């Protein structure tokens, strides 16, 4: 709480009376509370908007299955699509396509209930108890999705790769029981008849999220000599359950990495990239020289 308060998040306020104001059961053992402003995204509408935006900018969508290591198919794909760069946002399949054995599925599920004010007082704010403060290390996560639906979330199961949860599964029932114990009005909630249970395999990674260029190189002949040619693949995966939250920042990083590829700069791992961001004038000079010396058209 103090870390959030000191970070300058807008609208932060520590107020234990929020427990009563939000209708939280006083027997749930919640003793303190705070609030702050944060965006809430209707991800269904958000995806539609993003698709329309990219298509309006001239993007073309092509659906097919790619197997095996992307690095081994790089030249074929670049030539086939007349592309200058390949951006890999494959998610869980990075285990194979990026040859990254640290990737694994993080199974999640959520219950969708009607939030129109008919069966209980309408929930307007997100209500969360994090795992480190929960009774049994399982979170309470209640968030409005749109004007009439809100979500009950709280399942995160590492290395579970089957989408076989139902409303009757023990995990799902525990999740709903936690939410109802926390916010008793939910006991009267009706399920969304069109889409009562959503589940997914979130693309997690044992290490940090990977937003960097492919570090492997291939040996080619140039002017009669063998040289190491950097890859033109950029990776962005391993976001787990934070894809929407981190999407804008990761997209900005990817855009900068695209610039580096187009300017024929050497690839660097993420730690080295952070050092460059701190102010490597040599790299900036290389970029400026590249811009002066050539006109580049990128096909993504």
């Amino acid at each position: 709480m103090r870390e959030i308060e000191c970070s300058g998040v807008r609208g932060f306020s520590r107020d234990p009376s929020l427990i009563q104001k939000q209708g939280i059961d006083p027997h749930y053992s919640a003793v303190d509370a705070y609030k702050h402003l944060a965006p809430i995204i209707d991800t269904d509408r958000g995806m539609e908007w993003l698709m329309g935006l990219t298509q309006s900018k001239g993007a073309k969508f092509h659906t097919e299955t790619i197997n095996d290591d992307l690095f081994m198919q790089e030249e074929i794909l670049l030539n086939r699509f007349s592309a200058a760069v390949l951006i890999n946002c494959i998610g869980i399949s990075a285990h194979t396509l990026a040859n990254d054995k640290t990737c694994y599925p993080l199974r999640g599920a959520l219950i969708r209930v009607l939030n129109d004010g008919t069966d209980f007082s309408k929930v307007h704010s997100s209500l969360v108890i994090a795992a480190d403060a929960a009774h049994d290390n399982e979170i309470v996560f209640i968030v409005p999705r749109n004007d009439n639906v809100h979500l009950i979330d709280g399942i995160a199961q590492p290395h579970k790769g089957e989408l076989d949860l139902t409303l009757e599964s023990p995990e799902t029932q525990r999740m709903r029981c936690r939410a109802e114990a926390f916010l008793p009005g939910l006991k009267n909630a009706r399920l969304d008849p069109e889409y009562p249970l959503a589940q997914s395999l979130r693309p997690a990674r044992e290490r940090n999220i990977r937003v960097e260029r492919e570090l492997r190189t291939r040996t080619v002949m140039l002017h009669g000599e063998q040289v190491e040619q950097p890859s033109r693949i950029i990776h962005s995966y391993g976001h787990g359950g934070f894809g929407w939250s981190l999407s804008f920042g990761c997209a900005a990083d990817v855009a900068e990495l695209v610039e580096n590829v187009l300017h024929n700069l050497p690839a660097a791992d993420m730690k080295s990239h952070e050092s460059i961001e701190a102010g490597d004038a040599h790299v900036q000079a290389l970029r400026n020289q590249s811009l002066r010396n050539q006109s580049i058209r990128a096909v993504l």
Side-chain angles (χ1 to χ4, degrees):
M1 182 190 299
R2 296 190 184 280
E3 182 179 359
I4 296 175
E5 182 179 13
C6 295
S7 69
V9 172
R10 292 184 181 182
F12 179 89
S13 173
R14 182 177 181 179
D15 183 3
S17 69
L18 289 169
I19 298 170
Q20 181 178 3
K21 292 176 182 177
Q22 294 290 345
I24 296 167
D25 190 336
H27 299 100
Y28 198 83
S29 302
V31 296
D32 204 350
Y34 64 90
K35 65 179 181 179
H36 61 82
L37 295 177
I40 295 177
I41 300 174
D42 183 340
T43 55
D44 296 331
R45 295 184 63 183
M47 286 299 295
E48 292 178 5
W49 179 82
L50 283 173
M51 289 285 286
L53 176 66
T54 53
Q55 288 174 325
S56 71
K57 293 179 176 292
K60 296 180 180 179
F61 291 87
H62 183 86
T63 303
E64 67 176 85
T65 299
I66 298 177
N67 298 306
D68 302 321
D69 192 340
L70 194 62
F71 178 72
M72 306 306 295
Q73 309 170 66
E74 179 178 351
E75 293 301 319
I76 295 173
L77 292 171
L78 287 172
N79 293 331
R80 180 180 166 196
F81 292 101
S82 301
V85 183
L86 296 177
I87 301 175
N88 168 32
C89 309
I90 199 62
I92 294 173
S93 293
H95 184 277
T96 301
L97 267 68
N99 195 31
D100 188 342
K101 307 310 179 187
T102 70
C103 297
Y104 63 91
L106 181 67
R107 183 167 68 175
L110 53 88
I111 299 171
R112 295 168 56 101
V113 300
L114 299 183
N115 186 33
D116 57 8
T118 301
D119 304 297
F120 57 92
S121 296
K122 189 166 185 174
V123 178
H124 296 281
S125 302
S126 298
L127 305 174
V128 179
I129 288 188
D132 57 356
H135 292 310
D136 49 9
N137 206 40
E138 293 185 308
I139 69 171
V140 173
F141 186 89
I142 302 167
V143 58
R145 169 52 53 90
N146 54 43
D147 291 339
N148 294 312
V149 172
H150 80 235
L151 310 178
I152 299 171
D153 197 354
I155 293 178
Q157 299 176 310
H159 305 287
K160 293 284 189 179
E162 300 78 28
L163 293 175
D164 55 3
L165 294 173
T166 69
L167 291 169
E168 288 71 40
S169 298
E171 304 97 316
T172 311
Q173 292 186 345
R174 287 201 309 271
M175 177 173 66
R176 183 160 190 176
C177 286
R178 289 196 305 274
E180 292 175 352
F182 177 71
L183 193 66
L186 292 179
K187 294 178 181 179
N188 301 318
R190 287 172 295 147
L191 296 172
D192 179 358
E194 297 182 0
Y195 192 9
L197 178 69
Q199 56 184 314
S200 66
L201 302 179
R202 295 157 177 159
R205 193 167 181 255
E206 293 174 5
R207 290 178 282 182
N208 201 358
I209 297 163
R210 187 182 186 191
V211 183
E212 68 177 351
R213 290 173 60 182
E214 172 60 52
L215 300 177
R216 290 173 290 176
T217 61
R218 55 176 47 85
T219 303
V220 298
M221 295 297 297
L222 182 65
H223 306 305
E225 296 183 1
Q226 286 188 344
V227 297
E228 294 301 311
Q229 183 183 68
S231 170
R232 304 180 79 81
I233 297 172
I234 297 171
H235 299 288
S236 179
Y237 61 81
H239 298 77
F242 302 99
W244 281 97
S245 301
L246 302 177
S247 60
F248 299 98
C250 289
D253 285 347
V254 167
E256 182 168 351
L257 292 174
V258 168
E259 255 191 73
N260 291 349
V261 172
L262 298 180
H263 297 159
N264 295 316
L265 298 182
D269 62 27
M270 289 189 289
K271 291 182 179 180
S272 300
H273 181 65
E274 290 169 2
S275 299
I276 292 172
E277 286 303 301
D280 192 327
H282 176 63
V283 170
Q284 188 58 50
L286 286 174
R287 284 182 182 165
N288 293 339
Q289 181 180 5
S290 177
L291 284 171
R292 287 194 298 268
N293 293 345
Q294 57 184 313
S295 174
I296 302 170
R297 176 175 178 268
V299 182
L300 302 180

